[in-house]
Amino acid sequence: MKNRILNSLYTSSMSIIPVIVIIIILSFVGLSPLKGNDYLLLGVGTFILILGLSLFQLGASRGLTKVGEYMGSSLSKQSNIWIIILFAFILGTLITCAEPSIMIVSTQVSIPKWILIGAIAIGVGIFVALGVVRILLRKSLKVWYLFLYAIVFMLLCLIEDGQFLPFIFDAGGITTGSATVPFILALGAGVATVGGGKNASKDSFGLVGIASIGPILTMTLLILLYKSGFQEYIYNSPIMNESNIFSKFIAAMLPSSSVSFGSLIEVAMALIPILLVFFIYNGLYIHLSKAKILKLLIGFLYSYVGLVLFLTAVNAVMNPMGTYIGEQLALQPNFVIVIICLILGLVTILCEPAVHVLTGQIEAISDGRIKKTTVLLTLSIGVGLAIMLAAIRAIYGFSIMYYIVPGYAISLALMFICNDTYTAIAFDSGGTASGPMSVSFILPMIIGLTVGLGNGDKIYELAFGVVGLIALTPIIGIQFLGVYEKIKAYRSLVFMRRQKYAEDDAQIIHFKEDQ
C-alpha cells in the first residue's frame, strides 16, 4: 500500500510540476509576470493538485476500475444481450459524469452545466454499450470506426452556424480522462477475456475509441435541436495578486449559487449514482463478499476526496492562471506565441501517467521493435503540433475544419494499412494525451490568448478545439508507428529469406562428369 501511495504521488507530481515550472520560467523572463501573492497561490495550488490527483488515481484503481472489471466479467456471461446493453449504458453514462475533465470544461462554457454533462455522458453510455456488443459479436473494429465517423461527418454538414464546431470535437477529447479510461479499458478487457476467442487480447482495445465518438455525435444533435441553450460566451478576466488566496479555494469548494454547487457537492452527485447502480447489479448477479465491497467503498472514498481537492485547485488556480498567461502571450510577436505553445505541448504530454502505460503496450505488441522512447517522441511531437496549430488558428482566425477534415481522413485511411491492434490502440490513445493539464491549463490559455488578440467575440469559434486536436494527433502518430513497424517486419522477413536462399545455394554439390 505504501508503494502504491508513493507511486501515485510520483506520477501525479510528474503530470503537474513540469507545467508549473514553465509558468514560473515565463514569469521570470517577463512574458507573463506574476507577483508575490500569485506565487503563493501557485505553490498552494500545486500541492493540492498533486495530492488530489494522486488520491483520485489511487481510489480509481480500487473503485472505478474495479467496477469496470466486475461488470465486464459478469456482463459477458449474461445470456440476455439487453441486460448487457442496459447496464453497460448506465455505468458508462454515470462514470462519465464523474470525469474530472468534463467537470472542468463545464465551468468554462456558457452552456447549462447539467445539460452539457448529460449530453456528453449519454453519448458515452450509448457508445460504450455499442462497443461491448461489438466485442461480443466479434465484428471488425475498422468497419465500425468508418461507419460511425461517416455518420458524424454527415450530421456535421447539417450545422449552419460553424462557431460551435470546435467544441463538438473537444467533447470527444474531454470524455477520455482519468475516470472513464480506466473503467472503459477494464470493462473492455473483462468482456473480451471472458468472451474468449483467438482475438480476445486484440478485442480488448478499441472501446475507448468508440466511446469518444458518442459525445461528438450527441453534441452535434444537441446543437441541431437545442441551439438556444448555447448562450453567448461570457468571459471573465482573471484577477491576479489577490491578498486573500484561501478565499478562492473556499469559493471553489463550497456552493455559491443555484448554478454552482461547489466541488464538494458536485463530486458527490457524480459518484453516488455509480455506487447505487453497481450495488443493484451486484445484488442481482455478482454477489461480492463484504470484504471486497469494503475495499470498493474505500476506493470510492479516496476518489471523492481526491476529486474534490483536484477540482477545487483547478478552479481556484489553474483556470485563472492559464487564462492570464494566454492574455499576456497575446502581447508577444506571433512567432514567440507559436514557439511557446509548441514547447508546452512537447513537455506536458511526456508527463501524462497514462502515456507510459500506452508506450509499454506498444513495445510489447511490437516485440520490442518499437521502443518506448520512440512512442514518447511521436506523441510529444504530435501534441506539441496540436497546441501550436491551435495557437495559429487563434492568431489568424480560420475554421477548425481545415485541421479536422484532413486529420480524420488521414486517420481513417491509415486503418487500411495498419494491423487491427495498432488501429485499436491508436484510437484509444487520444484519451492518454488529453489529460488533466489539457483542460485545466491549455484550454484556458488558448481562451485568454484569443481574447488578448482581440477576438473575444469569437471564443467558441477560435479558442475551443484545442482538446480535440490533442486527441486527434496521437491517432495519426501511433498509426504511423504501426505502418513503420509493418515495413520494418517486412524488411526483416525479406532479409531472412535472402539469407536462407544464400545458405541453400552454398550447400549445392556439383558433380564433375568423367571424361
Side-chain angles (χ1 to χ4, degrees):
M1 182 63 183
K2 182 179 178 181
N3 290 335
R4 277 188 177 185
I5 294 173
L6 291 175
N7 184 60
S8 181
L9 285 169
Y10 173 76
T11 55
S12 299
S13 300
M14 291 298 98
S15 296
I16 293 165
I17 289 177
V19 176
I20 303 301
V21 170
I22 291 176
I23 291 173
I24 294 172
I25 291 173
L26 291 175
S27 176
F28 281 171
V29 298
L31 293 180
S32 56
L34 301 176
K35 297 181 180 178
N37 287 334
D38 294 333
Y39 287 106
L40 179 60
L41 178 67
L42 192 62
V44 175
T46 301
F47 173 77
I48 296 176
L49 281 169
I50 293 172
L51 179 62
L53 187 57
S54 61
L55 286 174
F56 178 75
Q57 290 176 340
L58 190 65
S61 65
R62 302 178 66 180
L64 293 173
T65 303
K66 286 297 180 183
V67 167
E69 291 174 357
Y70 293 140
M71 291 285 289
S73 299
S74 176
L75 285 174
S76 60
K77 299 174 186 176
Q78 295 289 340
S79 57
N80 189 337
I81 195 169
W82 292 108
I83 292 178
I84 298 173
I85 293 173
L86 176 64
F87 279 97
F89 165 74
I90 292 173
L91 262 295
T93 301
L94 292 178
I95 286 183
T96 304
C97 293
E99 174 56 51
S101 298
I102 296 175
M103 291 186 174
I104 294 168
V105 170
S106 69
T107 65
Q108 298 170 346
V109 296
S110 302
I111 306 168
K113 174 176 286 190
W114 294 107
I115 291 176
L116 172 66
I117 293 176
I120 292 174
I122 289 171
V124 173
I126 292 171
F127 277 68
V128 165
L130 282 175
V132 168
V133 171
R134 183 205 69 83
I135 294 173
L136 292 174
L137 298 178
R138 297 173 192 168
K139 298 296 182 180
S140 170
L141 181 65
K142 294 179 179 180
V143 172
W144 278 56
Y145 278 146
L146 202 60
F147 175 70
L148 294 173
Y149 274 111
I151 293 175
V152 166
F153 279 97
M154 283 191 291
L155 284 174
L156 287 173
C157 293
L158 301 177
I159 296 178
E160 297 178 359
D161 189 349
Q163 68 170 319
F164 298 118
L165 287 174
F167 184 72
I168 289 174
F169 290 96
D170 278 350
I174 62 177
T175 55
T176 49
S178 48
T180 51
V181 167
F183 164 76
I184 294 174
L185 287 176
L187 181 64
V191 172
T193 302
V194 177
K198 62 180 181 180
N199 295 323
S201 60
K202 181 179 71 176
D203 286 338
S204 64
F205 297 112
L207 187 56
V208 174
I210 288 179
S212 65
I213 302 174
I216 298 176
L217 188 62
T218 52
M219 288 305 300
T220 302
L221 292 173
L222 185 64
I223 290 171
L224 288 171
L225 301 174
Y226 185 62
K227 185 182 175 183
S228 60
F230 286 69
Q231 304 161 6
E232 183 179 347
Y233 192 93
I234 301 173
Y235 179 77
N236 295 313
S237 185
I239 301 172
M240 305 303 293
N241 196 31
E242 289 186 274
S243 57
N244 187 1
I245 64 168
F246 293 101
S247 63
K248 296 176 71 70
F249 293 99
I250 298 299
M253 184 180 293
L254 298 179
S256 58
S257 66
S258 59
V259 177
S260 176
F261 298 110
S263 60
L264 207 61
I265 295 177
E266 288 177 352
V267 174
M269 292 171 64
L271 291 180
I272 289 174
I274 301 172
L275 275 175
L276 291 177
V277 171
F278 179 74
F279 283 147
I280 292 171
Y281 186 88
N282 176 65
L284 292 173
Y285 301 108
I286 302 178
H287 308 298
L288 291 177
S289 65
K290 290 182 179 179
K292 288 184 177 180
I293 290 176
L294 180 61
K295 287 182 179 180
L296 199 70
L297 288 173
I298 293 173
F300 269 82
L301 180 60
Y302 277 122
S303 296
Y304 172 75
V305 174
L307 193 50
V308 167
L309 292 175
F310 181 77
L311 291 177
T312 298
V314 162
N315 292 325
V317 182
M318 297 309 295
N319 277 353
M321 197 72 70
T323 306
Y324 169 73
I325 288 175
E327 287 181 353
Q328 297 301 308
L329 284 181
L331 303 175
Q332 307 303 320
N334 290 346
F335 77 92
V336 174
I337 297 172
V338 170
I339 291 172
I340 290 174
C341 289
L342 175 64
I343 293 171
L344 277 169
L346 293 174
V347 172
T348 53
I349 188 61
L350 293 175
C351 305
E352 291 289 355
V355 167
H356 297 282
V357 177
L358 177 69
T359 57
Q361 289 175 337
I362 293 177
E363 188 172 44
I365 65 172
S366 67
D367 295 323
R369 286 188 293 270
I370 296 180
K371 302 298 183 184
K372 288 184 177 182
T373 51
T374 305
V375 183
L376 280 172
L377 183 62
T378 302
L379 292 175
S380 177
I381 292 172
V383 175
L385 289 173
I387 299 175
M388 182 186 76
L389 290 173
I392 291 172
R393 203 169 68 85
I395 293 169
Y396 295 104
F398 52 86
S399 172
I400 195 173
M401 300 310 285
Y402 287 104
Y403 293 152
I404 292 295
V405 172
Y408 276 101
I410 293 169
S411 300
L412 297 174
L414 285 171
M415 292 194 309
F416 298 99
I417 305 174
C418 287
N419 63 42
D420 292 346
T421 305
Y422 266 101
T423 296
I425 291 179
F427 278 85
D428 281 354
S429 67
T432 68
S434 52
M437 287 298 102
S438 299
V439 294
S440 65
F441 179 75
I442 299 298
L443 178 56
M445 184 188 75
I446 299 297
I447 291 174
L449 174 65
T450 303
V451 173
L453 291 169
N455 294 316
D457 58 334
K458 297 181 179 179
I459 291 178
Y460 277 125
E461 186 176 351
L462 298 180
F464 286 94
V466 60
V467 179
L469 291 175
I470 291 173
L472 174 60
T473 50
I475 300 175
I476 299 173
I478 297 302
Q479 287 193 107
F480 269 122
L481 282 183
V483 173
Y484 170 73
E485 193 270 340
K486 198 171 185 178
I487 294 172
K488 200 172 180 180
Y490 174 76
R491 291 178 63 183
S492 298
L493 181 62
V494 170
F495 177 78
M496 289 175 65
R497 283 177 176 172
R498 287 177 179 172
Q499 288 291 100
K500 188 175 188 305
Y501 292 151
E503 290 174 3
D504 289 344
D505 290 343
Q507 294 175 13
I508 295 175
I509 301 174
H510 298 278
F511 293 95
K512 186 177 180 182
E513 295 183 2
D514 294 334
Q515 297 295 329

